[in-house]
Amino acid sequence: MTSVYSAASAVSFDELLAHLKSLPVPLLPPAKAIDPTLSDKIASLYLHPALEALLHLLNHDLPSAHFLVRHMQSDPAFEAMYLHGILHRIEGDFNNTRAWYYDVAESEPFELVWGKATEDEKAAVEKKKEECENKMPPQKSARDFVDSLEKLSKGQGDKQALGKESRREFDTVLDWCIKKFGTGKHTDASKAWVQPSQEISEKGQSMVTGNDSFRKF
């Protein structure tokens, strides 16, 4: 199940979403969920786990969202992989954000937000990758956004403008997830789980053995 609670949610999806949208948009690392009482209400809707994770993110509840997206770290769950990148940008782990954004750069939800990458953009990023730089999405608009948030985390930048861009990203992915999954009950969340790719499995093993630098999943 998506929720560990048997009780039905006391509020409807529309009511809960309206409340979540009234909260400050996730931007910089939050200390904890804005409203801890919402975690159970969100889970009790039994939404598709990607959509549930997104609602937890809107509540700045990173642990609840992380639990869900960790079960969907490979294709075809590109929307959850994208959410994983968003989660890491909210917690200030910008290199991880760039890596996840790179992995989903050609997916429909990501392109809806940032547009299709041009061949020149793809070539430039691949060249940087070959030069042992960190992974990053080819779309310049996405790279600029993450770069600006990293600067903002150090006290530089326009917080209001970046907040609007964050809101646009969330709203676009939210609308896409609602259209794809609907808001009906998905009582067996395991049907949405995917086996991790070989790359993800190898990184996980490296974290255990210490053969690679630590990457938080």
Side-chain angles (χ1 to χ4, degrees), residues 27-41:
L27 194 63
L28 296 176
K32 57 183 178 181
I34 292 179
D35 185 348
T37 68
L38 292 181
S39 298
D40 180 36
K41 293 177 181 178

Side-chain angles (χ1 to χ4, degrees), residues 5 27 29 32 91 123 133 157 164 171 182 196 204 206-207 212 216:
Y5 302 94
L27 194 63
K32 57 183 178 181
E91 67 180 9
E133 293 193 23
K164 290 181 179 179
D171 286 349
S206 294
M207 288 166 60
D212 198 0
K216 292 186 293 182

Side-chain angles (χ1 to χ4, degrees), residues 113-115 121 137-146 165 168:
V113 178
W114 303 110
E121 286 177 324
Q139 289 91 332
K140 185 177 183 301
S141 55
R143 297 200 308 273
D144 287 347
F145 178 55
V146 178
E165 192 72 340
R168 183 183 71 84

Side-chain angles (χ1 to χ4, degrees), residues 50-168:
L51 182 54
E52 180 185 331
L54 203 161
L55 297 190
H56 286 304
L57 289 176
L58 286 172
N59 188 33
H60 300 217
D61 182 357
L62 303 189
S64 294
H66 213 170
F67 170 80
L68 293 165
V69 297
R70 286 188 67 187
H71 289 283
M72 300 173 285
Q73 297 188 129
S74 300
D75 62 88
F78 291 108
E79 66 287 328
M81 294 167 66
Y82 186 7
L83 292 176
H84 209 148
I86 292 175
L87 185 153
H88 280 300
R89 78 160 177 76
I90 295 169
E91 67 180 9
D93 187 356
F94 299 108
N95 279 338
N96 248 341
T97 297
R98 295 181 181 99
W100 283 109
Y101 279 18
Y102 172 89
D103 289 341
V104 300
E106 295 184 353
S107 68
E108 183 178 351
F110 194 83
E111 289 184 340
L112 278 174
V113 178
W114 303 110
K116 271 185 159 311
T118 66
E119 292 305 315
D120 287 344
E121 286 177 324
K122 292 178 183 178
V125 166
E126 288 303 313
K127 182 178 180 180
K128 289 182 178 180
K129 185 182 170 187
E130 291 172 0
E131 294 170 353
C132 298
E133 293 193 23
N134 293 322
K135 284 183 177 181
M136 61 186 73
Q139 289 91 332
K140 185 177 183 301
S141 55
R143 297 200 308 273
D144 287 347
F145 178 55
V146 178
D147 290 347
S148 295
L149 284 172
E150 187 166 17
K151 291 178 181 177
L152 184 64
S153 71
K154 300 173 183 177
Q156 304 172 1
D158 187 338
K159 185 175 181 179
Q160 184 176 4
L162 290 170
K164 290 181 179 179
E165 192 72 340
S166 179
R167 176 69 69 187
R168 183 183 71 84

